[in-house]
């Protein structure tokens, strides 16, 4: 059964619609991260007003606190969190491996201690699906082992085999027909293992396919090589999700390669650090040069923050540690990302994506914080966990 309706294609780039139990999602789409069921420093009403159709929540975090059974008792995540758009839940695999302590990976699952209170937990593929169904996600993810970078061929190979066996168990454990379950292609940075992982998952016929285990500290060229390796193999009638990426330039590149879905904490986390996206790259609002700057963050941006406040005022809020600074900055960055996705979709619709791509590459600059904020080097593990 096809789970994405393709409306248009230009090169590898795809314009599509994914139908969920909580509305239709136009793709390529960026999913803001709402680790605890809310996108930090926003409200569901803000997201709705901006046209956001889907957010990502973390099964690991909600399982530990407040507990998936409580979420279920409270009517599921949509009712509990006051969000009627779609929700995709991360399986928790990534968090177990990056946040959990004293973990022990076994055939049947993973033993770990909570990063919150040290309590002991065991997550199996079956349990992970149950947790996501209790939360009430529209799109669930398989439990996978995200091998650390770098990992040996042998380690990665065993990890791919385990991820495939777990994927099969996740598929068998799924009870709710109204939700989708995506498989996660692993394989580290070995082409043949990526191909093997994709092949095995495709045979199991998932509702969508994610490419996982990337953006974990590797050079960018290698990351894109891995995406290229698998993306053409993936069934055309299923959504493709590149996990945990990234900066605007990464999203434009990914969309060009045929990726439909993206998520990352970058726009929200950067907003809280005063790093704001503009057409000309990122600016750091705390910079002294904005002290009397009457212009908005981005002249062309139509978000509430840009239509109402000057850089000078936003700088004042930021350096005063005023909590509204988080809110106003986050509104802008999410709006900026959503606007970028709309532009990408519009370009594919009009058959002008390649023109857009070339123009974007020519104009886009990384921005002021490139070296100060080295989240790509070795610390990228935290990108996906904190919201
Ligand atoms: Zn704005």
């Amino acid at each position: 059964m096809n789970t994405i309706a393709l409306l248009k294609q230009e090169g590898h780039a795809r314009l599509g619609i994914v139908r969920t139990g909580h509305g239709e999602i136009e793709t390529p789409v960026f999913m803001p991260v709402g680790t605890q069921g809310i996108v930090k420093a926003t409200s569901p009403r803000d997201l709705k007003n901006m046209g956001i159709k889907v957010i990502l929540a973390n099964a690991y975090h909600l399982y530990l606190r407040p507990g998936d059974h409580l979420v279920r008792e409270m009517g599921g995540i949509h009712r509990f969190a006051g969000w009627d758009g779609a929700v995709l839940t991360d399986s928790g695999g990534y968090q177990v491996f990056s946040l959990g302590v004293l973990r022990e990976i076994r055939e049947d699952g993973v033993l770990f201690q909570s990063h919150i209170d040290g309590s002991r937990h065991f997550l199996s593929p079956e349990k992970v699906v149950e947790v996501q169904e209790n939360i009430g996600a529209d799109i669930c993810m398989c439990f996978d082992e995200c091998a650390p970078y770098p990992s040996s061929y042998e380690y990665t190979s065993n990890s791919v085999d385990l991820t495939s066996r777990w994927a099969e168990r996740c598929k068998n454990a799924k009870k709710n027909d109204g939700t989708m379950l995506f498989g996660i292609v692993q394989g580290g940075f070995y082409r043949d293992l990526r191909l093997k992982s994709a092949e095995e998952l495709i045979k199991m016929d998932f509702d969508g396919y994610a490419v996982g285990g990337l953006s974990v500290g590797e050079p960018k060229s290698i990351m894109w090589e891995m995406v290229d390796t698998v993306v053409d193999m993936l069934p055309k009638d299923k959504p493709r999700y590149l996990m945990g990426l990234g900066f605007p330039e990464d999203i434009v590149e990914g969309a060009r390669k045929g990726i439909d879905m993206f998520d990352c904490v970058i726009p929200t986390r950067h907003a809280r650090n005063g790093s704001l996206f503009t057409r000309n790259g990122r600016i750091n609002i705390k910079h002294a040069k904005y002290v009397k700057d009457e212009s908005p963050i981005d002249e062309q941006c139509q978000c509430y923050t840009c239509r109402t406040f000057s850089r000078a005022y936003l700088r004042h809020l930021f350096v005063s540690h005023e909590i509204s600074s988080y809110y106003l900055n986050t509104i802008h960055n999410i709006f900026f990302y959503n606007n970028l996705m709309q532009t990408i979709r519009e370009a594919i619709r009009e058959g002008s994506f390649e023109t857009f791509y070339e123009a974007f590459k020519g104009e886009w600059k990384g921005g002021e914080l490139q070296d100060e904020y080295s989240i790509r080097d070795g610390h990228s593990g935290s990108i996906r966990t904190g919201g």
Side-chain angles (χ1 to χ4, degrees), residues 255-267:
R256 185 167 184 258
K257 292 180 184 296
I259 299 292
D260 307 304
M261 302 167 71
F262 301 87
D263 81 283
C264 194
V265 298
I266 283 175

PDB file of all heavy atoms in Angstrom, residues 255-267:
ATOM      1  N   ALA A 255      16.474  17.307   0.263  1.00  0.00           N
ATOM      2  CA  ALA A 255      15.265  17.343  -0.580  1.00  0.00           C
ATOM      3  C   ALA A 255      15.635  17.073  -2.037  1.00  0.00           C
ATOM      4  O   ALA A 255      14.938  16.359  -2.758  1.00  0.00           O
ATOM      5  CB  ALA A 255      14.574  18.702  -0.445  1.00  0.00           C
ATOM      6  N   ARG A 256      16.780  17.601  -2.442  1.00  0.00           N
ATOM      7  CA  ARG A 256      17.237  17.400  -3.822  1.00  0.00           C
ATOM      8  C   ARG A 256      17.541  15.928  -4.092  1.00  0.00           C
ATOM      9  O   ARG A 256      17.409  15.444  -5.213  1.00  0.00           O
ATOM     10  CB  ARG A 256      18.500  18.232  -4.074  1.00  0.00           C
ATOM     11  CG  ARG A 256      18.985  18.192  -5.511  1.00  0.00           C
ATOM     12  CD  ARG A 256      20.016  19.277  -5.719  1.00  0.00           C
ATOM     13  NE  ARG A 256      20.463  19.350  -7.093  1.00  0.00           N
ATOM     14  CZ  ARG A 256      21.622  18.860  -7.516  1.00  0.00           C
ATOM     15  NH1 ARG A 256      22.429  18.250  -6.668  1.00  0.00           N
ATOM     16  NH2 ARG A 256      21.962  18.981  -8.786  1.00  0.00           N
ATOM     17  N   LYS A 257      17.930  15.210  -3.047  1.00  0.00           N
ATOM     18  CA  LYS A 257      18.250  13.794  -3.192  1.00  0.00           C
ATOM     19  C   LYS A 257      17.021  12.898  -3.042  1.00  0.00           C
ATOM     20  O   LYS A 257      17.123  11.681  -3.073  1.00  0.00           O
ATOM     21  CB  LYS A 257      19.320  13.398  -2.167  1.00  0.00           C
ATOM     22  CG  LYS A 257      20.676  14.043  -2.448  1.00  0.00           C
ATOM     23  CD  LYS A 257      21.695  13.638  -1.412  1.00  0.00           C
ATOM     24  CE  LYS A 257      23.029  14.357  -1.615  1.00  0.00           C
ATOM     25  NZ  LYS A 257      23.709  14.022  -2.873  1.00  0.00           N
ATOM     26  N   GLY A 258      15.860  13.499  -2.795  1.00  0.00           N
ATOM     27  CA  GLY A 258      14.644  12.697  -2.723  1.00  0.00           C
ATOM     28  C   GLY A 258      14.173  12.356  -1.329  1.00  0.00           C
ATOM     29  O   GLY A 258      13.393  11.429  -1.123  1.00  0.00           O
ATOM     30  N   ILE A 259      14.656  13.112  -0.322  1.00  0.00           N
ATOM     31  CA  ILE A 259      14.185  12.910   1.059  1.00  0.00           C
ATOM     32  C   ILE A 259      12.882  13.699   1.235  1.00  0.00           C
ATOM     33  O   ILE A 259      12.741  14.819   0.737  1.00  0.00           O
ATOM     34  CB  ILE A 259      15.253  13.382   2.067  1.00  0.00           C
ATOM     35  CG1 ILE A 259      16.555  12.586   1.895  1.00  0.00           C
ATOM     36  CG2 ILE A 259      14.728  13.318   3.490  1.00  0.00           C
ATOM     37  CD1 ILE A 259      16.485  11.125   2.275  1.00  0.00           C
ATOM     38  N   ASP A 260      11.937  13.092   1.983  1.00  0.00           N
ATOM     39  CA  ASP A 260      10.627  13.722   2.179  1.00  0.00           C
ATOM     40  C   ASP A 260      10.466  14.361   3.555  1.00  0.00           C
ATOM     41  O   ASP A 260       9.682  15.293   3.721  1.00  0.00           O
ATOM     42  CB  ASP A 260       9.511  12.682   2.025  1.00  0.00           C
ATOM     43  CG  ASP A 260       9.621  11.927   0.715  1.00  0.00           C
ATOM     44  OD1 ASP A 260       9.628  12.587  -0.339  1.00  0.00           O
ATOM     45  OD2 ASP A 260       9.716  10.681   0.736  1.00  0.00           O
ATOM     46  N   MET A 261      11.151  13.816   4.566  1.00  0.00           N
ATOM     47  CA  MET A 261      10.912  14.271   5.940  1.00  0.00           C
ATOM     48  C   MET A 261      12.237  14.535   6.656  1.00  0.00           C
ATOM     49  O   MET A 261      13.193  13.770   6.496  1.00  0.00           O
ATOM     50  CB  MET A 261      10.121  13.203   6.713  1.00  0.00           C
ATOM     51  CG  MET A 261       8.789  12.862   6.057  1.00  0.00           C
ATOM     52  SD  MET A 261       8.030  11.370   6.739  1.00  0.00           S
ATOM     53  CE  MET A 261       7.545  11.961   8.352  1.00  0.00           C
ATOM     54  N   PHE A 262      12.218  15.600   7.451  1.00  0.00           N
ATOM     55  CA  PHE A 262      13.405  15.994   8.215  1.00  0.00           C
ATOM     56  C   PHE A 262      12.983  16.371   9.639  1.00  0.00           C
ATOM     57  O   PHE A 262      11.861  16.831   9.850  1.00  0.00           O
ATOM     58  CB  PHE A 262      14.063  17.234   7.606  1.00  0.00           C
ATOM     59  CG  PHE A 262      14.496  17.068   6.177  1.00  0.00           C
ATOM     60  CD1 PHE A 262      13.599  17.321   5.133  1.00  0.00           C
ATOM     61  CD2 PHE A 262      15.780  16.668   5.874  1.00  0.00           C
ATOM     62  CE1 PHE A 262      13.995  17.174   3.813  1.00  0.00           C
ATOM     63  CE2 PHE A 262      16.188  16.520   4.555  1.00  0.00           C
ATOM     64  CZ  PHE A 262      15.286  16.773   3.520  1.00  0.00           C
ATOM     65  N   ASP A 263      13.910  16.204  10.576  1.00  0.00           N
ATOM     66  CA  ASP A 263      13.688  16.748  11.923  1.00  0.00           C
ATOM     67  C   ASP A 263      15.040  17.154  12.469  1.00  0.00           C
ATOM     68  O   ASP A 263      16.060  16.567  12.102  1.00  0.00           O
ATOM     69  CB  ASP A 263      13.093  15.698  12.871  1.00  0.00           C
ATOM     70  CG  ASP A 263      14.161  14.781  13.423  1.00  0.00           C
ATOM     71  OD1 ASP A 263      14.608  13.889  12.680  1.00  0.00           O
ATOM     72  OD2 ASP A 263      14.597  14.984  14.576  1.00  0.00           O
ATOM     73  N   CYS A 264      15.047  18.127  13.334  1.00  0.00           N
ATOM     74  CA  CYS A 264      16.296  18.515  13.989  1.00  0.00           C
ATOM     75  C   CYS A 264      15.984  19.523  15.082  1.00  0.00           C
ATOM     76  O   CYS A 264      15.021  20.273  14.983  1.00  0.00           O
ATOM     77  CB  CYS A 264      17.253  19.143  12.985  1.00  0.00           C
ATOM     78  SG  CYS A 264      18.935  19.271  13.626  1.00  0.00           S
ATOM     79  N   VAL A 265      16.817  19.525  16.131  1.00  0.00           N
ATOM     80  CA  VAL A 265      16.625  20.520  17.189  1.00  0.00           C
ATOM     81  C   VAL A 265      17.287  21.854  16.836  1.00  0.00           C
ATOM     82  O   VAL A 265      17.182  22.807  17.599  1.00  0.00           O
ATOM     83  CB  VAL A 265      17.181  20.042  18.553  1.00  0.00           C
ATOM     84  CG1 VAL A 265      16.471  18.797  19.021  1.00  0.00           C
ATOM     85  CG2 VAL A 265      18.679  19.838  18.504  1.00  0.00           C
ATOM     86  N   ILE A 266      17.963  21.919  15.711  1.00  0.00           N
ATOM     87  CA  ILE A 266      18.726  23.136  15.396  1.00  0.00           C
ATOM     88  C   ILE A 266      17.891  24.426  15.461  1.00  0.00           C
ATOM     89  O   ILE A 266      18.277  25.357  16.173  1.00  0.00           O
ATOM     90  CB  ILE A 266      19.475  22.989  14.052  1.00  0.00           C
ATOM     91  CG1 ILE A 266      20.718  22.113  14.267  1.00  0.00           C
ATOM     92  CG2 ILE A 266      19.880  24.348  13.479  1.00  0.00           C
ATOM     93  CD1 ILE A 266      21.494  21.785  13.016  1.00  0.00           C
ATOM     94  N   PRO A 267      16.763  24.538  14.759  1.00  0.00           N
ATOM     95  CA  PRO A 267      16.065  25.841  14.808  1.00  0.00           C
ATOM     96  C   PRO A 267      15.625  26.232  16.218  1.00  0.00           C
ATOM     97  O   PRO A 267      15.745  27.405  16.597  1.00  0.00           O
ATOM     98  CB  PRO A 267      14.855  25.643  13.889  1.00  0.00           C
ATOM     99  CG  PRO A 267      14.742  24.185  13.661  1.00  0.00           C
ATOM    100  CD  PRO A 267      16.099  23.588  13.874  1.00  0.00           C
TER     101      PRO A 267
END
